[in-house]
């Protein structure tokens, strides 16, 4: 999560996309993420639902 670090007036939420390298017992790693940006004015209200929606999307990738 970041607030106005890249763009003034915007916030961003990102969820890592875990991938499992080959080999049993190898822990997952993240090489990419799914993210969404929104105006800072909407951030407090939408942060929770947006985070959960991104988590569901990432879970559906596996």
């Amino acid at each position: 999560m970041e607030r106005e670090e890249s763009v003034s007036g915007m916030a961003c939420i990102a969820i890592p996309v875990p991938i499992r390298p080959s080999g049993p017992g190898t822990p997952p790693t993240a090489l990419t993420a799914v993210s969404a940006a929104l105006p800072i004015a909407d951030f407090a209200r939408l942060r929770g639902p947006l985070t959960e929606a991104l988590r569901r999307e990432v879970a559906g990738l596996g």
Side-chain angles (χ1 to χ4, degrees):
M1 178 201 56
E2 61 91 358
R3 294 180 192 168
E4 298 187 287
E5 291 178 21
S6 298
V7 177
S8 180
M10 296 294 288
C12 181
I13 298 170
I15 303 294
V17 177
I19 59 169
R20 190 164 302 280
S22 60
T26 305
T29 188
L31 298 176
T32 191
V34 175
S35 65
L38 63 156
I40 198 79
D42 299 326
F43 184 70
R45 178 173 52 87
L46 296 175
R47 177 183 175 190
L50 184 55
T51 301
E52 289 307 312
L54 290 173
R55 285 184 179 144
R56 282 192 305 274
E57 289 300 316
V58 167
L61 295 174

